[in-house]
Amino acid sequence: MLPPRAELTRDLADWLPRQRWFGGKDGPIDELSIGTATELRTGDPALHHLVLDVRQNGTTDHYQLLLGVRRELPDRLRHVEIGRDAGGAGGTRARTYDAAHDPDLTRTLLAALADGASIGPLRFHHAGGARIRTDLASLPITAEQSNTSLLFGDAYICKLFRRLSQGVNLDLEVNLALTRQGCAHVPAVHGWIELDAGEPGEEPVTLALLSDYLHTGADGWSLAIASVRDWFAYPLPSGDEWAELDAAVAGGDFAAEAERLGAATAQVHRALADAFGVTTVPAAEVRALAARMNAELTATCRAVPNLAPHAKALTGAFLDLAARAAPLAVQRVHGDYHLGQVLRTESGWALLDFEGEPARTQSERRALAHPLRDVAGMLRSFEYAARFLITKAGTVPTESGPHLETRAHAWAARNRAAFCRGYAAAGGADPAAHSVLMHAFEFEKAVYEVRYEARNRPAWLPVPLTSLAHLTA
């Protein structure tokens, strides 16, 4: 049984702002209430599914919580304790905690998914033909910030969407469609959990997604950083002639993997086109897109004056896109494509997290785009990987800043070219043949990065700004 609502909501209002995945840290909580409370397991421990309605600055956001209730809390769970009720039902004490960290309770989710259960407003679905094991213990991945993922043995990963959005989550929608297409470059979907719509005609809300766990995978960002570290540590001749050497001379060269990743990206784009279709927008919409890009640039220059020296070159690219506008084929794409969204497994590259850019609205994330928008995102990620170590004091050899930047530029250029080569060879649109569109997409992404870093990670702001010095030269 749940503790009294007044005490529970008080404890939650104190606990919630301290969670990494809570999105309202920039202001106080005006009001917190429990929108839905569904009992998933009785006894001690008990499991309840809660949707928390959190009001801040006139806006209400909704968060998902698996609430565990125990009379005594073991040491292994004390770091996720929410509160305690000294005078609970029948005079017993109830201690509440985040049950996503309790493998004794999370097995309940697997059992409900395997059964295709309906419990109150919650619906548990398994993908057609999927047989879900229920004997696996879970382990939360603590590195994530906006969601919480649970590893069930070496078989599944269950992503719990902490901050809920109305309707079907894009990650479920896209991954399920690609699974049904038989796409080999995404983890297969085994099941999902949803909450009934609050009003007639509304879509259900996606709560969780259960997929294959690619336990042999290494994320692309880590592999790229290892390659950059090797390149920075590689001894080069003294004098100016070293700057002409190619990054391929160092151990751990990433270019072959970048080319394979380009090919996998093209194959996923083709599968997305087959699953969702392709449409053509008129030239007027392309001009409108260029205008929006320019408007974002203007607003970002006001907010981040360090971008202003690049504004002329960026504006030129957006004006060029508008001047040469023609009908454009658009489709569903990844939307937030970078090295952190891909895994290299023993069988090849896999693409993850089709939710779109976190700073965009839901409608913007769902919007159709040309596939080269994803290509531009990955090219920007190579620029980031090349310069990441330069921003971390003490992690690179003692070498002058200009020399490190020259090395970084060489690494990025080599891997950008390899990725584009692999993408075009696998049937994707050749970036070299669409230079106007590519420049506009890449500069749009760079403007987004500058705005994001200025707001969230000021120490990283030199990364996009330094790369722009090369791209706009």
Side-chain angles (χ1 to χ4, degrees), residues 12 51 74 225 329 423:
L12 288 168
V51 174
I225 292 301
Y423 186 81

Side-chain angles (χ1 to χ4, degrees), residues 21-274:
W21 41 263
F22 179 63
K25 292 185 178 66
D26 57 346
I29 292 177
D30 300 321
E31 182 182 1
L32 184 149
S33 60
I34 299 174
T36 67
T38 307
E39 188 174 60
L40 299 179
R41 171 176 158 156
T42 61
D44 184 10
L47 177 62
H48 301 262
H49 179 276
L50 304 184
V51 174
L52 308 178
D53 300 336
V54 181
R55 187 168 180 82
Q56 293 181 285
N57 300 318
T59 301
T60 300
D61 289 317
H62 308 281
Y63 291 87
Q64 172 180 201
L65 173 66
L66 293 175
L67 184 78
V69 184
R70 290 176 179 260
R71 281 195 284 179
E72 296 296 334
L73 201 62
D75 289 344
R76 62 183 173 84
L77 294 172
R78 287 185 179 172
H79 69 291
V80 291
E81 183 173 12
I82 295 171
R84 65 182 69 191
D85 167 30
T92 60
R93 179 174 58 182
R95 300 180 70 170
T96 56
Y97 60 99
D98 183 356
H101 296 258
D102 189 352
D104 293 341
L105 293 179
T106 53
R107 285 192 182 93
T108 305
L109 302 180
L110 287 184
L113 285 164
D115 292 342
S118 292
I119 306 173
L122 304 187
R123 305 287 172 257
F124 296 80
H125 302 275
H126 53 257
R131 298 188 64 181
I132 298 173
R133 292 178 57 185
T134 61
D135 61 336
L136 301 172
S138 67
L139 178 69
I141 298 177
T142 58
E144 288 190 89
Q145 296 187 18
S146 57
N147 301 305
T148 298
S149 287
L150 308 177
L151 300 183
F152 284 97
D154 62 356
Y156 310 125
I157 184 167
C158 181
K159 181 189 287 187
L160 299 172
F161 300 105
R162 291 291 196 168
R163 189 175 184 178
L164 302 178
S165 300
Q166 186 61 46
V168 177
N169 187 281
L170 288 177
D171 209 16
L172 168 62
E173 182 180 18
V174 173
N175 273 297
L176 187 58
L178 293 177
T179 297
R180 289 168 174 166
Q181 286 282 326
C183 181
H185 295 292
V186 296
V189 173
H190 292 279
W192 66 97
I193 309 171
E194 62 187 21
L195 178 72
D196 283 345
E199 299 293 337
E202 291 183 347
E203 291 183 327
V205 176
T206 305
L207 301 174
L209 171 63
L210 186 76
S211 305
D212 272 339
Y213 172 47
L214 305 178
H215 59 278
T216 63
D219 71 273
W221 175 259
S222 297
L223 295 174
I225 292 301
S227 172
V228 174
R229 184 177 288 109
D230 285 346
W231 169 227
F232 281 177
Y234 187 82
L236 294 170
S238 60
D240 295 333
E241 69 272 15
W242 75 264
E244 299 180 3
L245 294 176
D246 195 275
V249 301
D253 182 31
F254 192 71
E257 290 298 343
E259 186 167 351
R260 295 186 190 101
L261 178 58
T265 304
Q267 290 159 14
V268 171
H269 281 158
R270 187 162 58 248
L272 285 169
D274 292 342

Side-chain angles (χ1 to χ4, degrees), residues 246-387:
D246 195 275
V249 301
D253 182 31
F254 192 71
E257 290 298 343
E259 186 167 351
R260 295 186 190 101
L261 178 58
T265 304
Q267 290 159 14
V268 171
H269 281 158
R270 187 162 58 248
L272 285 169
D274 292 342
F276 294 101
V278 178
T279 189
T280 300
V281 298
E285 287 199 27
V286 179
R287 287 191 287 272
L289 171 64
R292 289 195 296 273
M293 292 175 174
N294 211 36
E296 286 194 18
L297 169 63
T298 301
T300 304
C301 283
R302 285 197 297 265
V304 190
N306 289 345
L307 181 60
H310 305 290
K312 182 177 180 181
L314 298 172
T315 298
F318 302 149
L319 293 176
D320 200 14
L321 176 63
R324 304 190 189 196
L328 189 67
V330 294
Q331 63 170 77
R332 295 295 287 271
V333 296
H334 185 283
D336 187 25
Y337 199 42
H338 56 77
L339 287 163
Q341 307 282 43
V342 295
L343 286 180
R344 181 63 166 93
T345 73
E346 58 191 9
S347 60
W349 284 100
L351 280 61
L352 312 173
D353 298 333
F354 288 82
E355 292 183 77
E357 292 172 335
R360 303 287 187 187
T361 66
Q362 185 77 354
S363 61
E364 287 174 327
R365 296 180 190 190
R366 193 179 290 272
L368 304 181
H370 193 280
L372 288 179
R373 186 171 184 267
D374 279 348
V375 173
M378 187 56 70
L379 298 187
R380 294 297 309 155
S381 193
F382 287 127
E383 300 286 346
Y384 260 65
R387 293 169 177 83

